[in-house]
Amino acid sequence: MSNSRKGVKLFYDVISPYSWLAFEVLCRYRNVWNIDLTLKPAYLTGVIYGSGNQPAGANPSKLMYMVSDLKLTSEYFGVPMFRPSSISEKDSLNAMRFVTAIAEKGKDGDTLERVSRELWKRKWRTQQDITQPASLTDAGLKAGLSANEVEEILTLSKSQPIKDKLKSVTEEALEYRVSVYLYPLSFPLKCLCGKNIIKHPYTIFFPFLQCFGFPFIVCNVNGKAKVFFGSDRFELMAYFFGEKWVGPQPDKPTVQM
């Protein structure tokens, strides 16, 4: 194991089941890889539309693949989950404001982890609501908060500063961009609005977004940064860190390296 301390930021939303998988793996590998894990609760819908992406539900084939993929993936990761009967793209707004309020309240990292996990469980394991105050209260109580603390956080979650904070963290994820030099093209490259952004070969275009969904993971080590999208990039993350990946459950290695 490398002795250098690594920084990892996880941008996530509890409406994203793959964010849950990445969350659990990073928590399990925190001491194994010697990483400083920073949780960045954000709003997936804001990222999807801010990046020009589309929700999974907008593509029936993609949605059906996700349903079958989650069954096998959740078994492999050791995180039992079941697809909810319905998924609304706005399901997580109140929940993520609630989680953001916990983070801003200065609660310890363990509390933020426990509350996030309880909300994931409600949505993806027991198929319960995560939009109503009573549902958020139940998750907070199960995570170890007192009734008074939950009430205080619920009130805070409705405030403008918390709404602004969730928006700013979501925008922070969208600020990660990469500049790429394009080889000669025989046709103009168009942006989402339909306008030509490259009118002739050899033009260097403006930076492209690197975040278009969650989980979005930003890794830093020895002054170098690398971003990863999805819950299936841990082998590459380990390579970047100079560490070993032994499967999603390091206490039960599935791969010998």
Short mmCIF file of all heavy atoms in Angstrom, two decimals, residues 3-69:
data_model
loop_
_atom_site.label_atom_id
_atom_site.label_comp_id
_atom_site.label_asym_id
_atom_site.label_seq_id
_atom_site.Cartn_x
_atom_site.Cartn_y
_atom_site.Cartn_z
N ASN A 3 2.13 4.94 0.84
CA ASN A 3 2.02 5.72 2.06
C ASN A 3 1.44 7.11 1.81
O ASN A 3 1.08 7.81 2.75
CB ASN A 3 3.39 5.85 2.72
CG ASN A 3 3.89 4.52 3.28
OD1 ASN A 3 3.09 3.74 3.78
ND2 ASN A 3 5.18 4.29 3.19
N SER A 4 1.41 7.55 0.56
CA SER A 4 0.90 8.88 0.25
C SER A 4 -0.60 8.94 0.50
O SER A 4 -1.33 8.00 0.24
CB SER A 4 1.20 9.25 -1.20
OG SER A 4 0.59 8.32 -2.08
N ARG A 5 -1.03 10.08 1.07
CA ARG A 5 -2.45 10.26 1.34
C ARG A 5 -3.14 10.73 0.07
O ARG A 5 -2.68 11.63 -0.61
CB ARG A 5 -2.64 11.30 2.44
CG ARG A 5 -4.05 11.30 3.06
CD ARG A 5 -4.28 10.05 3.88
NE ARG A 5 -5.60 10.04 4.53
CZ ARG A 5 -6.09 9.04 5.21
NH1 ARG A 5 -5.39 7.94 5.34
NH2 ARG A 5 -7.27 9.10 5.77
N LYS A 6 -4.26 10.10 -0.26
CA LYS A 6 -4.97 10.44 -1.47
C LYS A 6 -6.30 11.10 -1.13
O LYS A 6 -6.96 10.72 -0.17
CB LYS A 6 -5.26 9.19 -2.32
CG LYS A 6 -4.02 8.39 -2.72
CD LYS A 6 -3.94 7.15 -1.90
CE LYS A 6 -2.73 6.31 -2.28
NZ LYS A 6 -2.40 5.33 -1.24
N GLY A 7 -6.66 12.09 -1.93
CA GLY A 7 -7.94 12.75 -1.75
C GLY A 7 -8.95 12.24 -2.75
O GLY A 7 -8.65 12.11 -3.93
N VAL A 8 -10.15 11.94 -2.28
CA VAL A 8 -11.22 11.46 -3.15
C VAL A 8 -12.50 12.23 -2.84
O VAL A 8 -12.93 12.30 -1.68
CB VAL A 8 -11.48 9.95 -2.97
CG1 VAL A 8 -12.66 9.51 -3.82
CG2 VAL A 8 -10.24 9.15 -3.32
N LYS A 9 -13.08 12.82 -3.88
CA LYS A 9 -14.38 13.48 -3.75
C LYS A 9 -15.42 12.64 -4.48
O LYS A 9 -15.22 12.30 -5.65
CB LYS A 9 -14.35 14.89 -4.35
CG LYS A 9 -13.41 15.86 -3.66
CD LYS A 9 -13.44 17.21 -4.36
CE LYS A 9 -12.49 18.20 -3.72
NZ LYS A 9 -12.51 19.52 -4.43
N LEU A 10 -16.50 12.34 -3.80
CA LEU A 10 -17.60 11.59 -4.42
C LEU A 10 -18.82 12.49 -4.55
O LEU A 10 -19.44 12.86 -3.56
CB LEU A 10 -17.95 10.36 -3.58
CG LEU A 10 -19.21 9.60 -4.02
CD1 LEU A 10 -19.03 9.00 -5.42
CD2 LEU A 10 -19.58 8.51 -3.01
N PHE A 11 -19.15 12.85 -5.80
CA PHE A 11 -20.38 13.58 -6.07
C PHE A 11 -21.48 12.54 -6.27
O PHE A 11 -21.33 11.65 -7.12
CB PHE A 11 -20.22 14.43 -7.33
CG PHE A 11 -19.28 15.60 -7.17
CD1 PHE A 11 -17.91 15.43 -7.34
CD2 PHE A 11 -19.76 16.87 -6.85
CE1 PHE A 11 -17.04 16.50 -7.20
CE2 PHE A 11 -18.89 17.94 -6.71
CZ PHE A 11 -17.53 17.77 -6.88
N TYR A 12 -22.56 12.66 -5.53
CA TYR A 12 -23.58 11.61 -5.57
C TYR A 12 -24.97 12.17 -5.30
O TYR A 12 -25.15 13.29 -4.82
CB TYR A 12 -23.27 10.54 -4.53
CG TYR A 12 -23.46 10.99 -3.09
CD1 TYR A 12 -24.63 10.69 -2.39
CD2 TYR A 12 -22.47 11.71 -2.42
CE1 TYR A 12 -24.81 11.10 -1.07
CE2 TYR A 12 -22.64 12.13 -1.11
CZ TYR A 12 -23.81 11.82 -0.43
OH TYR A 12 -23.99 12.24 0.86
N ASP A 13 -25.96 11.34 -5.62
CA ASP A 13 -27.37 11.63 -5.37
C ASP A 13 -28.00 10.29 -5.00
O ASP A 13 -27.72 9.27 -5.62
CB ASP A 13 -28.00 12.20 -6.65
CG ASP A 13 -29.44 12.68 -6.45
OD1 ASP A 13 -30.19 12.01 -5.71
OD2 ASP A 13 -29.81 13.70 -7.05
N VAL A 14 -28.87 10.29 -3.99
CA VAL A 14 -29.45 9.03 -3.52
C VAL A 14 -30.46 8.45 -4.51
O VAL A 14 -30.91 7.32 -4.32
CB VAL A 14 -30.10 9.20 -2.13
CG1 VAL A 14 -29.05 9.55 -1.09
CG2 VAL A 14 -31.21 10.25 -2.15
N ILE A 15 -30.81 9.19 -5.56
CA ILE A 15 -31.67 8.64 -6.60
C ILE A 15 -30.88 7.72 -7.52
O ILE A 15 -31.44 6.95 -8.30
CB ILE A 15 -32.33 9.77 -7.42
CG1 ILE A 15 -33.57 9.26 -8.16
CG2 ILE A 15 -31.34 10.38 -8.39
CD1 ILE A 15 -34.70 8.85 -7.28
N SER A 16 -29.56 7.77 -7.42
CA SER A 16 -28.67 6.99 -8.28
C SER A 16 -28.22 5.72 -7.57
O SER A 16 -27.44 5.78 -6.61
CB SER A 16 -27.44 7.83 -8.66
OG SER A 16 -26.40 7.01 -9.16
N PRO A 17 -28.65 4.54 -8.03
CA PRO A 17 -28.23 3.29 -7.40
C PRO A 17 -26.74 3.02 -7.59
O PRO A 17 -26.08 2.44 -6.71
CB PRO A 17 -29.08 2.23 -8.10
CG PRO A 17 -29.39 2.82 -9.44
CD PRO A 17 -29.54 4.29 -9.19
N TYR A 18 -26.19 3.46 -8.71
CA TYR A 18 -24.76 3.25 -8.95
C TYR A 18 -23.91 4.13 -8.04
O TYR A 18 -22.77 3.78 -7.70
CB TYR A 18 -24.43 3.49 -10.42
CG TYR A 18 -25.08 2.48 -11.35
CD1 TYR A 18 -26.23 2.78 -12.05
CD2 TYR A 18 -24.56 1.19 -11.47
CE1 TYR A 18 -26.85 1.83 -12.88
CE2 TYR A 18 -25.17 0.24 -12.29
CZ TYR A 18 -26.31 0.57 -12.99
OH TYR A 18 -26.92 -0.37 -13.79
N SER A 19 -24.47 5.26 -7.62
CA SER A 19 -23.78 6.09 -6.63
C SER A 19 -23.67 5.35 -5.30
O SER A 19 -22.67 5.46 -4.59
CB SER A 19 -24.53 7.41 -6.41
OG SER A 19 -24.41 8.27 -7.51
N TRP A 20 -24.72 4.58 -4.97
CA TRP A 20 -24.68 3.80 -3.72
C TRP A 20 -23.57 2.77 -3.78
O TRP A 20 -22.81 2.59 -2.82
CB TRP A 20 -26.04 3.13 -3.51
CG TRP A 20 -26.19 2.46 -2.16
CD1 TRP A 20 -25.33 2.54 -1.10
CD2 TRP A 20 -27.26 1.62 -1.74
NE1 TRP A 20 -25.80 1.80 -0.04
CE2 TRP A 20 -26.99 1.22 -0.41
CE3 TRP A 20 -28.43 1.16 -2.36
CZ2 TRP A 20 -27.84 0.39 0.30
CZ3 TRP A 20 -29.28 0.33 -1.64
CH2 TRP A 20 -28.99 -0.05 -0.32
N LEU A 21 -23.44 2.10 -4.92
CA LEU A 21 -22.39 1.10 -5.05
C LEU A 21 -21.01 1.73 -4.89
O LEU A 21 -20.14 1.21 -4.17
CB LEU A 21 -22.50 0.42 -6.42
CG LEU A 21 -23.80 -0.33 -6.71
CD1 LEU A 21 -23.78 -0.89 -8.13
CD2 LEU A 21 -24.03 -1.45 -5.70
N ALA A 22 -20.80 2.87 -5.55
CA ALA A 22 -19.50 3.56 -5.45
C ALA A 22 -19.25 4.04 -4.03
O ALA A 22 -18.12 3.95 -3.51
CB ALA A 22 -19.47 4.74 -6.42
N PHE A 23 -20.28 4.54 -3.39
CA PHE A 23 -20.20 5.01 -2.00
C PHE A 23 -19.72 3.89 -1.07
O PHE A 23 -18.79 4.07 -0.27
CB PHE A 23 -21.58 5.52 -1.60
CG PHE A 23 -21.78 5.74 -0.13
CD1 PHE A 23 -21.43 6.94 0.47
CD2 PHE A 23 -22.36 4.75 0.67
CE1 PHE A 23 -21.64 7.15 1.83
CE2 PHE A 23 -22.58 4.96 2.02
CZ PHE A 23 -22.22 6.15 2.61
N GLU A 24 -20.34 2.73 -1.17
CA GLU A 24 -19.98 1.62 -0.28
C GLU A 24 -18.55 1.14 -0.55
O GLU A 24 -17.80 0.84 0.40
CB GLU A 24 -20.97 0.47 -0.45
CG GLU A 24 -22.39 0.79 -0.03
CD GLU A 24 -22.54 1.07 1.47
OE1 GLU A 24 -21.54 0.94 2.22
OE2 GLU A 24 -23.66 1.44 1.88
N VAL A 25 -18.16 1.07 -1.82
CA VAL A 25 -16.80 0.62 -2.13
C VAL A 25 -15.77 1.60 -1.60
O VAL A 25 -14.76 1.20 -0.99
CB VAL A 25 -16.63 0.43 -3.66
CG1 VAL A 25 -15.15 0.24 -4.00
CG2 VAL A 25 -17.43 -0.76 -4.13
N LEU A 26 -16.00 2.89 -1.78
CA LEU A 26 -15.03 3.89 -1.30
C LEU A 26 -14.95 3.88 0.22
O LEU A 26 -13.86 4.06 0.79
CB LEU A 26 -15.42 5.27 -1.82
CG LEU A 26 -15.20 5.49 -3.32
CD1 LEU A 26 -15.78 6.83 -3.76
CD2 LEU A 26 -13.70 5.43 -3.66
N CYS A 27 -16.08 3.67 0.89
CA CYS A 27 -16.05 3.57 2.35
C CYS A 27 -15.25 2.34 2.78
O CYS A 27 -14.47 2.38 3.75
CB CYS A 27 -17.47 3.49 2.91
SG CYS A 27 -18.40 5.05 2.85
N ARG A 28 -15.41 1.22 2.07
CA ARG A 28 -14.68 -0.01 2.40
C ARG A 28 -13.18 0.13 2.15
O ARG A 28 -12.37 -0.44 2.87
CB ARG A 28 -15.23 -1.17 1.58
CG ARG A 28 -16.66 -1.56 1.89
CD ARG A 28 -17.21 -2.48 0.82
NE ARG A 28 -18.63 -2.81 1.01
CZ ARG A 28 -19.37 -3.45 0.12
NH1 ARG A 28 -18.83 -3.86 -1.02
NH2 ARG A 28 -20.65 -3.69 0.36
N TYR A 29 -12.81 0.87 1.10
CA TYR A 29 -11.40 1.02 0.73
C TYR A 29 -10.72 2.23 1.37
O TYR A 29 -9.54 2.47 1.12
CB TYR A 29 -11.27 1.12 -0.79
CG TYR A 29 -11.12 -0.21 -1.48
CD1 TYR A 29 -12.24 -0.98 -1.79
CD2 TYR A 29 -9.86 -0.73 -1.80
CE1 TYR A 29 -12.12 -2.21 -2.43
CE2 TYR A 29 -9.73 -1.96 -2.43
CZ TYR A 29 -10.86 -2.69 -2.74
OH TYR A 29 -10.72 -3.92 -3.36
N ARG A 30 -11.44 2.97 2.20
CA ARG A 30 -10.89 4.19 2.79
C ARG A 30 -9.58 3.93 3.53
O ARG A 30 -8.58 4.63 3.33
CB ARG A 30 -11.92 4.81 3.74
CG ARG A 30 -11.45 6.08 4.42
CD ARG A 30 -12.61 6.87 4.98
NE ARG A 30 -13.68 6.01 5.46
CZ ARG A 30 -14.95 6.40 5.58
NH1 ARG A 30 -15.30 7.62 5.23
NH2 ARG A 30 -15.86 5.56 6.03
N ASN A 31 -9.56 2.91 4.35
CA ASN A 31 -8.33 2.59 5.09
C ASN A 31 -7.39 1.70 4.28
O ASN A 31 -6.18 1.75 4.46
CB ASN A 31 -8.67 1.91 6.41
CG ASN A 31 -9.40 2.84 7.37
OD1 ASN A 31 -9.15 4.05 7.38
ND2 ASN A 31 -10.30 2.30 8.18
N VAL A 32 -7.95 0.89 3.40
CA VAL A 32 -7.13 0.00 2.57
C VAL A 32 -6.23 0.81 1.65
O VAL A 32 -5.04 0.51 1.48
CB VAL A 32 -8.03 -0.94 1.74
CG1 VAL A 32 -7.17 -1.83 0.83
CG2 VAL A 32 -8.90 -1.81 2.64
N TRP A 33 -6.80 1.85 1.04
CA TRP A 33 -6.04 2.70 0.11
C TRP A 33 -5.52 3.98 0.76
O TRP A 33 -4.88 4.79 0.11
CB TRP A 33 -6.92 3.08 -1.09
CG TRP A 33 -7.10 1.98 -2.08
CD1 TRP A 33 -6.47 0.76 -2.10
CD2 TRP A 33 -7.97 2.00 -3.22
NE1 TRP A 33 -6.90 0.02 -3.17
CE2 TRP A 33 -7.81 0.75 -3.88
CE3 TRP A 33 -8.87 2.92 -3.74
CZ2 TRP A 33 -8.52 0.43 -5.04
CZ3 TRP A 33 -9.58 2.61 -4.89
CH2 TRP A 33 -9.41 1.37 -5.54
N ASN A 34 -5.83 4.18 2.05
CA ASN A 34 -5.36 5.36 2.76
C ASN A 34 -5.86 6.64 2.08
O ASN A 34 -5.08 7.51 1.69
CB ASN A 34 -3.83 5.37 2.82
CG ASN A 34 -3.29 6.39 3.81
OD1 ASN A 34 -3.90 6.65 4.84
ND2 ASN A 34 -2.14 6.97 3.50
N ILE A 35 -7.18 6.76 1.94
CA ILE A 35 -7.75 7.91 1.24
C ILE A 35 -8.55 8.81 2.19
O ILE A 35 -9.12 8.35 3.18
CB ILE A 35 -8.67 7.48 0.08
CG1 ILE A 35 -9.85 6.63 0.58
CG2 ILE A 35 -7.89 6.72 -0.98
CD1 ILE A 35 -10.83 6.23 -0.50
N ASP A 36 -8.53 10.11 1.88
CA ASP A 36 -9.40 11.08 2.54
C ASP A 36 -10.65 11.20 1.68
O ASP A 36 -10.59 11.78 0.59
CB ASP A 36 -8.71 12.44 2.67
CG ASP A 36 -7.63 12.45 3.74
OD1 ASP A 36 -7.85 11.86 4.81
OD2 ASP A 36 -6.56 13.04 3.50
N LEU A 37 -11.74 10.66 2.15
CA LEU A 37 -12.97 10.64 1.38
C LEU A 37 -13.86 11.82 1.75
O LEU A 37 -14.23 11.99 2.91
CB LEU A 37 -13.73 9.32 1.62
CG LEU A 37 -15.10 9.17 0.93
CD1 LEU A 37 -14.95 9.27 -0.58
CD2 LEU A 37 -15.73 7.84 1.33
N THR A 38 -14.20 12.64 0.76
CA THR A 38 -15.10 13.77 0.96
C THR A 38 -16.39 13.52 0.19
O THR A 38 -16.36 13.34 -1.03
CB THR A 38 -14.47 15.08 0.45
OG1 THR A 38 -13.24 15.32 1.14
CG2 THR A 38 -15.41 16.26 0.69
N LEU A 39 -17.50 13.49 0.91
CA LEU A 39 -18.79 13.28 0.27
C LEU A 39 -19.35 14.61 -0.21
O LEU A 39 -19.38 15.59 0.53
CB LEU A 39 -19.76 12.62 1.25
CG LEU A 39 -19.36 11.24 1.77
CD1 LEU A 39 -20.40 10.71 2.75
CD2 LEU A 39 -19.16 10.25 0.63
N LYS A 40 -19.80 14.63 -1.47
CA LYS A 40 -20.31 15.86 -2.09
C LYS A 40 -21.75 15.62 -2.56
O LYS A 40 -21.98 15.30 -3.73
CB LYS A 40 -19.43 16.26 -3.27
CG LYS A 40 -17.95 16.38 -2.95
CD LYS A 40 -17.65 17.67 -2.22
CE LYS A 40 -17.70 18.86 -3.13
NZ LYS A 40 -17.23 20.10 -2.46
N PRO A 41 -22.73 15.74 -1.67
CA PRO A 41 -24.12 15.57 -2.09
C PRO A 41 -24.50 16.62 -3.12
O PRO A 41 -24.27 17.81 -2.93
CB PRO A 41 -24.91 15.73 -0.78
CG PRO A 41 -23.98 16.42 0.17
CD PRO A 41 -22.60 16.03 -0.23
N ALA A 42 -25.06 16.17 -4.24
CA ALA A 42 -25.41 17.06 -5.34
C ALA A 42 -26.73 16.59 -5.94
O ALA A 42 -27.33 15.61 -5.49
CB ALA A 42 -24.30 17.08 -6.39
N TYR A 43 -27.19 17.29 -6.98
CA TYR A 43 -28.50 17.01 -7.56
C TYR A 43 -28.33 16.44 -8.96
O TYR A 43 -27.91 17.14 -9.88
CB TYR A 43 -29.33 18.29 -7.59
CG TYR A 43 -30.77 18.12 -8.00
CD1 TYR A 43 -31.52 17.02 -7.57
CD2 TYR A 43 -31.39 19.08 -8.79
CE1 TYR A 43 -32.85 16.88 -7.94
CE2 TYR A 43 -32.72 18.94 -9.16
CZ TYR A 43 -33.44 17.85 -8.73
OH TYR A 43 -34.76 17.70 -9.10
N LEU A 44 -28.65 15.16 -9.13
CA LEU A 44 -28.42 14.48 -10.39
C LEU A 44 -29.18 15.12 -11.55
O LEU A 44 -28.64 15.25 -12.65
CB LEU A 44 -28.82 13.00 -10.26
CG LEU A 44 -28.67 12.15 -11.53
CD1 LEU A 44 -27.24 12.17 -12.02
CD2 LEU A 44 -29.13 10.73 -11.26
N THR A 45 -30.42 15.51 -11.33
CA THR A 45 -31.19 16.12 -12.41
C THR A 45 -30.52 17.37 -12.94
O THR A 45 -30.49 17.62 -14.15
CB THR A 45 -32.62 16.45 -11.93
OG1 THR A 45 -33.28 15.24 -11.55
CG2 THR A 45 -33.42 17.12 -13.03
N GLY A 46 -29.93 18.17 -12.03
CA GLY A 46 -29.21 19.37 -12.46
C GLY A 46 -28.03 19.04 -13.34
O GLY A 46 -27.74 19.74 -14.31
N VAL A 47 -27.32 17.96 -13.01
CA VAL A 47 -26.17 17.54 -13.81
C VAL A 47 -26.63 16.99 -15.16
O VAL A 47 -26.01 17.29 -16.20
CB VAL A 47 -25.34 16.48 -13.06
CG1 VAL A 47 -24.40 15.73 -14.00
CG2 VAL A 47 -24.53 17.15 -11.96
N ILE A 48 -27.67 16.21 -15.16
CA ILE A 48 -28.16 15.62 -16.41
C ILE A 48 -28.54 16.70 -17.42
O ILE A 48 -28.09 16.69 -18.57
CB ILE A 48 -29.36 14.69 -16.14
CG1 ILE A 48 -28.87 13.40 -15.47
CG2 ILE A 48 -30.10 14.37 -17.43
CD1 ILE A 48 -29.98 12.46 -15.06
N TYR A 49 -29.33 17.66 -16.97
CA TYR A 49 -29.76 18.70 -17.90
C TYR A 49 -28.67 19.74 -18.14
O TYR A 49 -28.59 20.31 -19.23
CB TYR A 49 -31.04 19.35 -17.38
CG TYR A 49 -32.23 18.43 -17.51
CD1 TYR A 49 -32.75 17.74 -16.41
CD2 TYR A 49 -32.83 18.22 -18.75
CE1 TYR A 49 -33.82 16.87 -16.54
CE2 TYR A 49 -33.90 17.35 -18.89
CZ TYR A 49 -34.39 16.69 -17.78
OH TYR A 49 -35.46 15.82 -17.92
N GLY A 50 -27.81 19.96 -17.15
CA GLY A 50 -26.72 20.91 -17.33
C GLY A 50 -25.67 20.41 -18.31
O GLY A 50 -24.95 21.21 -18.92
N SER A 51 -25.57 19.10 -18.46
CA SER A 51 -24.58 18.52 -19.36
C SER A 51 -25.18 18.13 -20.72
O SER A 51 -24.46 17.69 -21.61
CB SER A 51 -23.96 17.27 -18.73
OG SER A 51 -24.93 16.26 -18.54
N GLY A 52 -26.49 18.27 -20.85
CA GLY A 52 -27.14 17.87 -22.09
C GLY A 52 -27.42 16.39 -22.19
O GLY A 52 -27.75 15.88 -23.27
N ASN A 53 -27.31 15.69 -21.07
CA ASN A 53 -27.58 14.25 -21.05
C ASN A 53 -29.09 14.03 -20.94
O ASN A 53 -29.87 14.98 -20.85
CB ASN A 53 -26.86 13.61 -19.86
CG ASN A 53 -26.70 12.12 -19.99
OD1 ASN A 53 -27.19 11.51 -20.93
ND2 ASN A 53 -26.00 11.51 -19.05
N GLN A 54 -29.51 12.78 -20.90
CA GLN A 54 -30.91 12.42 -20.73
C GLN A 54 -31.06 11.43 -19.58
O GLN A 54 -30.18 10.59 -19.36
CB GLN A 54 -31.48 11.79 -22.00
CG GLN A 54 -31.65 12.74 -23.17
CD GLN A 54 -32.33 12.06 -24.34
OE1 GLN A 54 -32.11 10.88 -24.61
NE2 GLN A 54 -33.17 12.81 -25.03
N PRO A 55 -32.17 11.51 -18.83
CA PRO A 55 -32.40 10.53 -17.77
C PRO A 55 -32.51 9.13 -18.34
O PRO A 55 -32.91 8.94 -19.49
CB PRO A 55 -33.75 10.97 -17.16
CG PRO A 55 -33.94 12.38 -17.62
CD PRO A 55 -33.26 12.49 -18.94
N ALA A 56 -32.16 8.13 -17.53
CA ALA A 56 -32.23 6.73 -17.99
C ALA A 56 -33.64 6.38 -18.43
O ALA A 56 -33.83 5.62 -19.38
CB ALA A 56 -31.76 5.79 -16.88
N GLY A 57 -34.64 6.94 -17.74
CA GLY A 57 -36.02 6.62 -18.06
C GLY A 57 -36.47 7.13 -19.42
O GLY A 57 -37.50 6.70 -19.93
N ALA A 58 -35.68 8.06 -20.01
CA ALA A 58 -36.06 8.60 -21.32
C ALA A 58 -35.76 7.61 -22.43
O ALA A 58 -36.24 7.76 -23.55
CB ALA A 58 -35.31 9.91 -21.57
N ASN A 59 -34.97 6.60 -22.12
CA ASN A 59 -34.61 5.58 -23.10
C ASN A 59 -35.06 4.22 -22.56
O ASN A 59 -34.41 3.66 -21.68
CB ASN A 59 -33.10 5.59 -23.34
CG ASN A 59 -32.67 4.64 -24.45
OD1 ASN A 59 -33.25 3.57 -24.63
ND2 ASN A 59 -31.66 5.04 -25.20
N PRO A 60 -36.16 3.67 -23.06
CA PRO A 60 -36.68 2.40 -22.53
C PRO A 60 -35.67 1.27 -22.55
O PRO A 60 -35.59 0.47 -21.61
CB PRO A 60 -37.86 2.09 -23.47
CG PRO A 60 -38.29 3.43 -23.98
CD PRO A 60 -37.02 4.22 -24.13
N SER A 61 -34.87 1.19 -23.60
CA SER A 61 -33.86 0.12 -23.68
C SER A 61 -32.80 0.29 -22.59
O SER A 61 -32.39 -0.69 -21.95
CB SER A 61 -33.20 0.14 -25.07
OG SER A 61 -34.14 -0.16 -26.08
N LYS A 62 -32.39 1.53 -22.37
CA LYS A 62 -31.39 1.80 -21.33
C LYS A 62 -31.95 1.49 -19.95
O LYS A 62 -31.26 0.93 -19.09
CB LYS A 62 -30.96 3.27 -21.40
CG LYS A 62 -29.84 3.66 -20.47
CD LYS A 62 -29.44 5.11 -20.70
CE LYS A 62 -28.28 5.52 -19.78
NZ LYS A 62 -27.90 6.94 -20.01
N LEU A 63 -33.23 1.81 -19.74
CA LEU A 63 -33.87 1.56 -18.46
C LEU A 63 -33.98 0.06 -18.20
O LEU A 63 -33.69 -0.41 -17.08
CB LEU A 63 -35.25 2.20 -18.43
CG LEU A 63 -36.03 2.04 -17.12
CD1 LEU A 63 -35.28 2.68 -15.96
CD2 LEU A 63 -37.42 2.67 -17.25
N MET A 64 -34.38 -0.71 -19.20
CA MET A 64 -34.51 -2.15 -19.02
C MET A 64 -33.15 -2.80 -18.78
O MET A 64 -33.04 -3.76 -18.00
CB MET A 64 -35.19 -2.77 -20.25
CG MET A 64 -36.66 -2.39 -20.39
SD MET A 64 -37.61 -2.67 -18.86
CE MET A 64 -37.44 -4.45 -18.69
N TYR A 65 -32.12 -2.28 -19.44
CA TYR A 65 -30.77 -2.81 -19.20
C TYR A 65 -30.37 -2.53 -17.75
O TYR A 65 -29.80 -3.41 -17.07
CB TYR A 65 -29.76 -2.18 -20.15
CG TYR A 65 -28.34 -2.60 -19.83
CD1 TYR A 65 -27.85 -3.83 -20.26
CD2 TYR A 65 -27.51 -1.79 -19.05
CE1 TYR A 65 -26.56 -4.24 -19.94
CE2 TYR A 65 -26.23 -2.20 -18.72
CZ TYR A 65 -25.76 -3.42 -19.17
OH TYR A 65 -24.49 -3.81 -18.84
N MET A 66 -30.66 -1.33 -17.27
CA MET A 66 -30.31 -0.98 -15.90
C MET A 66 -30.98 -1.91 -14.90
O MET A 66 -30.37 -2.34 -13.91
CB MET A 66 -30.70 0.47 -15.60
CG MET A 66 -30.23 0.94 -14.23
SD MET A 66 -30.81 2.61 -13.81
CE MET A 66 -32.50 2.25 -13.31
N VAL A 67 -32.24 -2.25 -15.16
CA VAL A 67 -32.98 -3.14 -14.26
C VAL A 67 -32.28 -4.50 -14.14
O VAL A 67 -32.06 -5.01 -13.04
CB VAL A 67 -34.43 -3.33 -14.75
CG1 VAL A 67 -35.13 -4.41 -13.93
CG2 VAL A 67 -35.19 -2.02 -14.66
N SER A 68 -31.91 -5.08 -15.28
CA SER A 68 -31.25 -6.39 -15.26
C SER A 68 -29.82 -6.28 -14.73
O SER A 68 -29.34 -7.17 -14.02
CB SER A 68 -31.25 -7.00 -16.66
OG SER A 68 -30.53 -6.19 -17.57
N ASP A 69 -29.15 -5.17 -15.06
CA ASP A 69 -27.77 -4.99 -14.63
C ASP A 69 -27.68 -4.84 -13.11
O ASP A 69 -26.77 -5.39 -12.48
CB ASP A 69 -27.18 -3.76 -15.32
CG ASP A 69 -25.75 -3.48 -14.89
OD1 ASP A 69 -24.87 -4.31 -15.18
OD2 ASP A 69 -25.52 -2.44 -14.25
#
